[in-house]
Amino acid sequence: AQKVTQAQTEISVVEKEDVTLDCVYETRDTTYYLFWYKQPPSGELVFLIRRNSFDEQNEISGRYSWNFQKSTSSFNFTITASQVVDSAVYFCALLYNNNDMRFGAGTRLTVKP
Amino acid sequence: GAGVSQSPRYKVAKRGQDVALRCDPISGHVSLFWYQQALGQGPEFLTYFQNEAQLDKSGLPSDRFFAERPEGSVSTLKIQRTQQEDSAVYLCASSPRIAGGYTFGSGTRLTVV
């Protein structure tokens, strides 16, 4: 089965705290892609990162970092020094068969001032 | 245009009414996707086009749902005889290539009363 699990439904932190959003995936495919998207209240899904299954190198982009571990089928997302503008729903997604993308249920992050 | 444009932004339909939702992808993007996002859930795949060819429609929930992209650019998702369970946000995404970082539109929020 192809599946994405985001166990954290909601997270609330105070500004400047670090926060990690968990993502666990299941797939039988050896070639696949993992994504993170941000969905602010406006509703548009904003692309954050894409990682292919052969590239386990972790990535840092400003305050964002991603930890991909095939051994545990996880692709976690950390925001360092969170800001109020980071408040949104974050989705992890798995792309396989080149066009079939499965999303997790999302994690609602609230950053309080 | 600069992004994926969807119209209308909001649609209220009476049960049994037919609706048509429009998606203008980014110019030149060959891949186009439709997703359905119920309240509090992650997007669910509906259908996929590569240029004008509908390569996958396995996610369409019933034969009341129909999508087309006749000239390989603008796409229309049509729902016939709408039911209350059709109420959701319908998201369109486009990509310049297979397994690319999709760009999503802001969605059409359909409410069936």
Side-chain angles (χ1 to χ4, degrees):
Chain A
Q2 321 282 0
K3 184 180 176 183
V4 177
T5 302
Q6 293 180 256
Q8 304 149 309
T9 306
E10 295 191 33
I11 300 176
S12 181
V13 299
V14 176
E15 205 169 21
K16 297 183 184 177
E17 283 185 25
D18 298 348
V19 58
T20 296
L21 309 181
D22 297 334
C23 173
V24 174
Y25 63 93
E26 294 176 34
T27 180
R28 289 187 296 268
D29 291 14
T30 55
T31 301
Y32 53 89
Y33 296 83
L34 295 164
F35 296 80
W36 276 95
Y37 284 89
K38 175 182 181 179
Q39 189 173 47
S42 61
E44 188 170 334
L45 280 165
V46 178
F47 168 78
L48 296 178
I49 190 171
R50 178 186 65 163
R51 174 66 73 234
N52 75 54
S53 52
F54 300 107
D55 182 4
E56 286 192 73
Q57 189 172 7
N58 292 326
E59 182 162 335
I60 297 174
S61 176
R63 295 183 299 105
Y64 295 169
S65 63
W66 291 270
N67 183 354
F68 176 28
Q69 296 205 352
K70 287 181 77 170
S71 60
T72 55
S73 297
S74 66
F75 187 44
N76 296 339
F77 172 33
T78 297
I79 302 174
T80 302
S82 60
Q83 300 176 1
V84 173
V85 293
D86 296 328
S87 296
V89 180
Y90 290 85
F91 291 98
C92 179
L94 166 71
L95 176 72
Y96 60 99
N97 285 341
N98 286 329
N99 62 277
D100 200 342
M101 183 179 278
R102 298 293 172 93
F103 285 80
T107 297
R108 180 177 299 278
L109 174 65
T110 302
V111 181
K112 300 178 180 177
Chain B
V4 177
S5 178
Q6 292 188 245
S7 60
R9 188 77 175 87
Y10 302 93
K11 176 68 179 178
V12 178
K14 290 185 178 179
R15 192 170 57 180
Q17 188 179 352
D18 297 350
V19 298
L21 312 180
R22 177 187 169 104
C23 173
D24 277 276
I26 292 174
S27 179
H29 277 198
V30 299
S31 298
L32 185 145
F33 305 80
W34 283 98
Y35 286 83
Q36 180 191 58
Q37 186 176 18
L39 189 65
Q41 301 295 317
E44 297 280 344
F45 171 80
L46 293 177
T47 187
Y48 159 61
F49 290 87
Q50 190 169 324
N51 295 307
E52 69 278 5
Q54 189 175 19
L55 300 186
D56 188 345
K57 54 182 181 179
S58 61
L60 296 176
S62 78
D63 59 8
R64 297 186 294 104
F65 286 70
F66 173 76
E68 60 183 5
R69 193 187 186 197
E71 297 177 0
S73 54
V74 172
S75 177
T76 304
L77 176 66
K78 298 179 179 177
I79 309 173
Q80 297 177 323
R81 305 182 303 281
T82 52
Q83 303 294 317
Q84 281 193 316
E85 62 262 28
D86 300 335
S87 296
V89 175
Y90 290 85
L91 294 164
C92 177
S94 70
S95 174
R97 61 190 183 282
I98 294 172
Y102 303 166
T103 301
F104 280 83
S106 297
T108 294
R109 182 178 295 279
L110 173 65
T111 303
V112 182
V113 297

